[in-house]
Amino acid sequence: MGELAAEKHAKYILTVEKKKDSIESVLMEHLRINGAYWGLTTLDILDKLAAVDQETIISWVMSCQHESGGFGGNEGHDPHLLYTLSAIQILALFNKIDTLDIEKVTNYITALQNEDGSFSGDKWGEIDTRFSYVAICSLALLKQLDKINVEKAVSYILSCKNLDGGFGCTPGAESHAGQIFCCVGALAITGSLHYVDKDLLGWWLCERQVKSGGLNGRPEKLPDVCYSWWVLSSLIMIDRVHWIDKEKLVKFILDCQDKENGGISDRPDDAVDVFHTYFGVAGLSLLEYPGLKVIDPAYALPVDVINRILLH
């Protein structure tokens, strides 16, 4: 089995942001704040966060905030819950959450809860369990979870549970590993994991491992490094991670590295990107790969960052 090319991956993350005229940069313009979260968290797991200019990043993050309190994916882009969580997570990495007007951000998030407990992603009203997770995670990091109707939020998430033990984006929607992470993560943060059928869901999740050792997101799909996060974190939260072959998954992730130029791809020999580099490194952290900081499976931030916030 190969080794993690940690130095190369850190260098890749640090150089990719500088290539403003690359096709990847142009395509990611609308969600640059998500990309910053993926890249910076990767660096922190690799213990390389000191290599970035903290003040410049924080200044740019704050420039993405709107009068409403929400954050856009970049300067001049509309606010959305997804980008607001990434902004909070970036500030959390640097221990700078106090830079925020917490009441203003909290009001933006709480106003997006609907009568049935669900959350809209923004003012245009799309509903998805991703947004339930994002709202709950954001408010927990701000220590403002009591500002929403948590009981109704949990009830809505449970209405999206399926007969196979999984969860979909809305009631009756197909189970998907990404949605399962969102629902299980939200239930974990709110202390509601007792509502999950852990054996049934654990069975569905461990069935996502294919012969190569990688994990897919739904039955009959190809494996993808990003599910090393979505599936694995869910299995850890419900205490069923011993149901998969961890060594084979480690090998699959390591096989997806570009060992010359750094970065991790979705599958072996594909092009690398920041998204898969983050989820590959985060997956290895969950798998207790040596030399990596431990990441929290519910908050998707290093455990020392979460402890600093929640135990402060």
Side-chain angles (χ1 to χ4, degrees), residues 177 181 205 208-209 215 225-242 244-246 249-250 253 279-280 282-288 297:
F181 161 77
L205 288 168
R208 305 282 58 77
Q209 190 163 36
L215 301 162
V225 157
C226 69
Y227 293 111
S228 306
W229 172 264
W230 311 116
V231 174
L232 202 58
S233 56
S234 301
L235 283 168
I236 288 171
M237 286 187 278
I238 63 171
D239 196 26
R240 296 295 181 275
V241 74
H242 53 288
I244 62 162
D245 187 328
K246 293 199 245 182
L249 180 54
V250 169
I253 297 171
F279 286 116
L284 289 171
S285 171
L286 291 176
L287 290 160
E288 302 174 275

Side-chain angles (χ1 to χ4, degrees), residues 61-293:
V61 168
M62 295 308 295
S63 75
C64 297
Q65 189 174 26
H66 286 250
E67 196 52 46
S68 62
F71 286 77
N74 205 337
E75 291 177 90
H77 287 246
D78 290 346
H80 195 287
L81 275 180
L82 292 170
Y83 308 132
T84 302
L85 173 59
S86 286
I88 295 168
Q89 288 170 318
I90 292 167
L91 294 172
L93 286 171
F94 294 118
N95 198 19
K96 293 288 184 183
I97 283 183
D98 56 3
T99 308
L100 292 169
D101 180 337
I102 288 176
E103 185 179 1
K104 190 175 182 180
V105 181
T106 300
N107 288 341
Y108 171 75
I109 297 168
T110 56
L112 290 168
Q113 187 172 31
N114 301 305
E115 188 56 38
D116 62 357
S118 65
F119 282 84
S120 301
D122 59 13
K123 67 181 182 181
W124 302 110
E126 181 190 3
I127 294 170
D128 190 310
T129 46
R130 285 181 303 153
F131 310 148
S132 296
Y133 166 76
V134 165
I136 286 167
C137 187
S138 297
L139 292 172
L141 291 171
L142 299 175
K143 297 185 177 178
Q144 300 291 316
L145 203 48
D146 60 335
K147 299 296 194 297
I148 56 164
N149 189 325
V150 174
E151 191 178 336
K152 274 192 171 182
V154 168
S155 176
Y156 179 78
I157 290 168
L158 295 175
S159 75
C160 299
K161 185 162 69 168
N162 292 320
L163 292 172
D164 55 17
F167 294 82
C169 56
T170 50
E174 176 188 13
S175 293
H176 183 285
Q179 304 295 154
I180 288 169
F181 161 77
C182 291
C183 293
V184 172
L187 294 174
I189 292 168
T190 57
S192 308
L193 280 177
H194 53 283
Y195 291 117
V196 178
D197 185 332
K198 293 173 183 160
D199 282 345
L200 186 61
L201 177 56
W203 178 249
W204 191 93
L205 288 168
C206 76
E207 285 278 287
R208 305 282 58 77
Q209 190 163 36
V210 301
K211 284 181 181 176
S212 66
L215 301 162
N216 62 24
R218 287 177 291 166
E220 303 302 322
K221 296 288 184 178
L222 292 171
D224 187 315
V225 157
C226 69
Y227 293 111
S228 306
W229 172 264
W230 311 116
V231 174
L232 202 58
S233 56
S234 301
L235 283 168
I236 288 171
M237 286 187 278
I238 63 171
D239 196 26
R240 296 295 181 275
V241 74
H242 53 288
W243 286 8
I244 62 162
D245 187 328
K246 293 199 245 182
E247 280 189 26
K248 281 184 77 173
L249 180 54
V250 169
K251 183 181 184 304
F252 175 79
I253 297 171
L254 294 176
D255 285 347
C256 294
Q257 299 180 100
D258 180 337
K259 291 181 181 173
E260 288 181 27
N261 303 307
I264 298 174
S265 57
D266 58 348
R267 283 179 280 281
D269 302 320
D270 282 357
V272 303
D273 57 59
V274 176
F275 177 85
H276 289 94
T277 302
Y278 165 56
F279 286 116
V281 172
L284 289 171
S285 171
L286 291 176
L287 290 160
E288 302 174 275
Y289 190 88
L292 300 180
K293 285 175 75 169

